[in-house]
Amino acid sequence: MFSSLLHLIGRLHRLAWLAGALALLCLAAGSARAGRYLAGLLISTLSLKTGKTCSAAVKKDGVTSSKQIWRWVLGLAGACMYAQIALAGNCTAIRLNVDPSGPVGLPITNGVSSTLIPIRITVTGDEAPGTVLGISTQTATTAQRLRCTNTPVASGLTGIVAGQPSISVGGWNVLPTDVPGIGFSIATTGHESGIKSYPLDTDGANGEIFTSLTGTGIGRPFTLRIIRIPGTIPEGVSRIPGAEPFMGSWVAGDNKQSVYNFSGAVVITKQASTCQLSFSPSSSVNFGVIPQSKLATANNSGRSDLKFVSLQLTNCSRSVTSYSYSFSISGSSSAVGAACNGTLSNAATDSTGAKGVGIQLGTNDSTGFTPICWNRTVSQNITATTGPITVVNLATALIGLGQPISAGNVIGRALATVNYN
C-alpha cells in the first residue's frame, strides 16, 4: 500500500508540467494573465529541477529511497505554488452602457471619478472618537462594471495616508487622514458601515462588481463621513487632503483595478479655546487704613493682615487640560529685594505717598503664605474641564521695607499672564 501511495505522489508531481503546458497556451492566446501562468511554470520547473539535482532516483532492495520521496515532494510543492499564483483573482473594468443588455465598451484602466461635495467643519477637539463631524452624500454620474476571476476578490479603499489600514470607530470603517484626530469613511450599498481598506474587504461574489445599483449605467450613491478618531486635532484651519483633492480609490482584485476614484475637499477648523480671566472677589485690593505702628515692628519690617484673592478661568469655549501662569510688575513700581520675595515698591512717589512701605504678593494654600517669584512660570495639568478653574489662590499685604516709615498712600500694580490649552 505504501508503494502505491508513493507511485500516486510521483504521478501527481507531473501535474506541474501539465499546468505549465496550459500556461504556454494562454501565452499564445494573449491572455492578460499570461504573466502569472508563466511565473507558476517557472516555479514548478525550478522545484522539479532542484529536487532532481539534489537527489538521484536510487532504489535499494526494491524499496524507494528517501531521496526519491523528497524529489516527489518538491515537485508537488511546486505545483501547489503554481496553482496559488495561477488562481489569483483579477478584475477588468468595462464601461457600462445605459442598456445592460446591449454591448459593452472596451476595457478601461482607470476607475470612474466621483467628486464629493466639499465639507466645512468646525470642531472643539473634545468630540468623542466615533463622532460623525460632517456628511456629504452624492450619486456618481457615470458607472462601469468589473469582471473578476476567481471571485470573491479582495477589495477596499486606498486612502490619503498610504499603508494605513482602516479601523473600526463608533461602528464605522474609518481610514485616517493627514490631519491627526480626523478620519473618513465612504459608504455605499453593500458597504453601509464604510468600505474597508484594501485588501480587508471582498466583492464580486457573482463574478462582477457593478458600480451602479442595477447595472443601468446610473452611478452608485456614496456617503462620505468625516469621523473623529483618536488623536489631537491641531488648532487652526486644516485641509483634507493637504496637497490635492484626492480622497481615495476603491480598488478590487489582486491587480487593484480601480472601481471608483474619490476627490473632494474637507476644511477642518479647530477654534482656539477662549476663557474669561477673572479675579475673585476683585482685581483691586483695598488695604484700608493700616496703623503705621503695625508696619514699624520687627525693625520696620512688619506686615499688615493678608488680603485674599483668587485668579480664575471661567466660561471656556472648550475643555482646558493644562495652564500656566506668571506675574510681572506693571507701572512705575519696581521689585524690592530678591526676585522671589514677591515685593514691589510703592508707586505713589509724590508728597502723598507713604515712605518705607511696599506691597508683598504671594500664594496661599494649605502650606500657608509663600511669596511669589517675579517672572517665573508655574505650570499645572488638570482634568479636562470648561471651568471655572482656579488658577491660583493669592494673598497680599503691605510690608515695611526696613526703613523709616511715614504715613501716606500706597499704590502698586502686578500683571498676571495665564496660558491654557
Side-chain angles (χ1 to χ4, degrees):
M1 180 177 178
F2 181 68
S3 298
S4 298
L5 179 61
L6 293 177
H7 180 72
L8 177 60
I9 294 175
R11 288 187 175 276
L12 286 175
H13 88 271
R14 291 181 175 86
L15 290 176
W17 293 106
L18 177 59
L22 292 175
L24 291 176
L25 291 176
C26 292
L27 280 171
S31 170
R33 300 174 62 203
R36 291 183 179 272
Y37 285 100
L38 179 59
L41 173 63
L42 292 176
I43 291 176
S44 299
T45 305
L46 287 175
S47 298
L48 291 170
K49 183 65 177 177
T50 302
K52 187 173 182 180
T53 302
C54 294
S55 61
V58 179
K59 291 187 177 182
K60 184 178 182 181
D61 297 329
V63 178
T64 303
S65 70
S66 60
K67 293 183 178 180
Q68 179 69 13
I69 294 174
W70 277 112
R71 181 191 175 196
W72 290 334
V73 170
L74 288 171
L76 184 59
C80 291
M81 294 177 69
Y82 168 83
Q84 179 67 27
I85 294 176
L87 296 179
N90 289 337
C91 297
T92 301
I94 300 174
R95 293 195 185 280
L96 186 63
N97 293 338
V98 174
D99 181 6
S101 62
V104 296
L106 297 174
I108 57 177
T109 56
N110 297 321
V112 177
S113 295
S114 178
T115 301
L116 299 164
I117 299 173
I119 303 176
R120 292 186 177 274
I121 302 170
T122 299
V123 299
T124 66
D126 295 331
E127 296 84 1
T131 301
V132 177
L133 305 175
I135 298 178
S136 171
T137 299
Q138 188 164 337
T139 298
T141 56
T142 56
Q144 64 179 0
R145 69 185 178 198
L146 270 63
R147 288 178 176 169
C148 304
T149 59
N150 303 317
T151 55
V153 295
S155 68
L157 286 175
T158 58
I160 302 169
V161 183
Q164 290 294 316
S166 57
I167 58 176
S168 179
V169 184
W172 304 105
N173 297 317
V174 184
L175 274 74
T177 69
D178 45 4
V179 176
I182 300 293
F184 75 98
S185 175
I186 296 178
T188 188
T189 304
H191 301 272
E192 283 75 11
S193 297
I195 305 169
K196 297 179 182 178
S197 61
Y198 182 87
L200 300 181
D201 237 323
T202 56
D203 273 291
N206 61 352
E208 289 188 322
I209 301 174
F210 279 92
T211 59
S212 61
L213 291 181
T214 61
T216 62
I218 301 174
R220 281 177 180 252
F222 290 97
T223 300
L224 167 67
R225 289 178 175 86
I226 303 302
I227 297 176
R228 180 75 162 95
I229 62 175
T232 301
I233 304 174
E235 290 189 355
V237 179
S238 301
R239 187 179 184 278
I240 303 173
E244 56 181 326
F246 171 76
M247 286 292 295
S249 290
W250 180 15
V251 299
D254 291 350
N255 59 335
K256 294 185 179 180
Q257 172 63 50
S258 180
V259 184
Y260 263 98
N261 295 319
F262 301 99
S263 61
V266 179
V267 178
I268 303 287
T269 302
K270 181 181 178 182
Q271 293 180 334
S273 177
T274 56
C275 299
Q276 292 179 350
L277 182 63
S278 63
F279 289 86
S280 178
S282 172
S283 60
S284 298
V285 177
N286 187 346
F287 292 103
V289 179
I290 307 297
Q292 181 176 335
S293 58
K294 192 172 185 67
L295 304 182
T297 60
N299 296 322
N300 293 325
S301 298
R303 191 174 66 188
S304 67
D305 294 338
L306 293 172
K307 296 285 187 177
F308 302 101
V309 62
S310 64
L311 177 59
Q312 296 182 335
L313 292 173
T314 59
N315 299 323
C316 297
S317 61
R318 64 177 177 84
S319 294
V320 174
T321 58
S322 65
Y323 63 81
S324 64
Y325 67 87
S326 63
F327 289 94
S328 58
I329 299 173
S330 178
S332 58
S333 296
S334 59
V336 177
C340 287
N341 71 2
T343 302
L344 62 156
S345 65
N346 184 8
T349 57
D350 58 12
S351 59
T352 65
K355 303 297 189 290
V357 179
I359 303 172
Q360 190 173 43
L361 179 66
T363 60
N364 183 66
D365 52 28
S366 58
T367 62
F369 176 82
T370 303
I372 65 164
C373 297
W374 298 115
N375 302 309
R376 176 175 293 182
T377 299
V378 178
S379 300
Q380 181 68 47
N381 294 322
I382 59 173
T383 302
T385 179
T386 56
I389 303 166
T390 298
V391 177
V392 60
N393 289 314
L394 299 169
T396 184
L398 297 183
I399 187 171
L401 302 179
Q403 305 167 5
I405 296 174
S406 62
N409 297 326
V410 180
I411 301 173
R413 182 179 288 114
L415 177 66
T417 300
V418 179
N419 294 304
Y420 50 88
N421 290 304

